[in-house]
Amino acid sequence: MKIRPLPLGSYETNCYLVDCGDGIGVIVDPGDECEQIVSVLNKLRLTPAAILLTHGHLDHISAVPDLLTVYPNLPVRISNADMDWCFSGKNRLPGYREVLQKPATAESIADGDVLSFGSVRMQVLATPGHSPGSVCFLAQDTADSGDDRPEVLFSGDTLFAGSIGRVDFYGGDERAMGNSLRRLAALSPATVVLPGHGCDSTLRRECRTNPYLQFSHMA
């Protein structure tokens, strides 16, 4: 599994292009700049198999309509709890005025679902708090024979390096966020954290240094 991060748009949202082997790709959180996403996919010789959304905020989903003009049948996977509101006027962020239409290819995902793309297996972890239906994707490459390579967590806006996502947007919930952080803290410390904004980290580092994760872990 090879992962290419692309910080996109005015919020510099991390879109991740995942090489799952055999020319199969996955797009995680395409927030903006469709042309750049398509250009990098072409350079990497990847055909996307799905768009995965950690949550429904506009800075994570705004490139979806344009991507579907390039890849019309591409499944868009998002939790039901966020699908209910993110394609409506409830979804507002400064700098974004357009309400996106629900994609015809939208498919709901739920906690515990396992998604397979090439040799990559991704488990859906429900982590509400930043939004009602925020999820993380815990990925592992089954082609790695030695199990030396740690799992990778696409954490969206639930967990950042040194911080967490805001809980004061529509549907945010501080108590739910605390429960979600406790769930993430219980994962393997070697897990690589790829957040929706900012630099990557590991759960070991976050459990030691992130005050929000430390507090939730002790609570």
Side-chain angles (χ1 to χ4, degrees), residues 112-194:
D113 286 352
V114 176
L115 312 175
S116 294
F117 307 99
S119 63
V120 175
R121 175 184 180 274
M122 295 189 181
Q123 182 180 359
V124 179
L125 304 179
T127 54
H130 179 65
S131 73
S134 285
V135 301
C136 297
F137 298 103
L138 185 63
Q140 187 172 46
D141 194 335
T142 60
D144 291 342
S145 57
D147 291 331
D148 294 330
R149 203 166 183 179
E151 293 177 310
V152 174
L153 183 75
F154 297 94
S155 62
D157 285 5
T158 298
L159 178 64
F160 302 141
S163 189
I164 60 171
R166 293 170 58 171
V167 296
D168 58 340
F169 292 138
Y170 173 82
D173 186 317
E174 185 175 2
R175 180 173 293 182
M177 177 65 90
N179 291 334
S180 295
L181 294 175
R182 280 189 285 275
R183 182 178 193 185
L184 296 184
L187 298 176
S188 167
T191 302
V192 175
V193 178
L194 298 181

Side-chain angles (χ1 to χ4, degrees), residues 23-41:
I24 300 169
V26 170
I27 306 168
V28 180
D29 286 356
D32 209 337
E33 302 181 54
C34 170
E35 297 86 354
Q36 185 174 348
I37 295 171
V38 173
S39 175
V40 174
L41 285 170

Side-chain angles (χ1 to χ4, degrees), residues 85-109:
W85 63 269
C86 75
F87 301 109
S88 75
K90 296 176 181 177
N91 198 2
R92 298 293 185 192
L93 274 180
Y96 292 87
R97 294 181 175 85
E98 183 180 357
V99 175
L100 301 186
Q101 295 293 315
K102 179 180 175 181
T105 58
E107 301 177 1
S108 65
I109 50 177

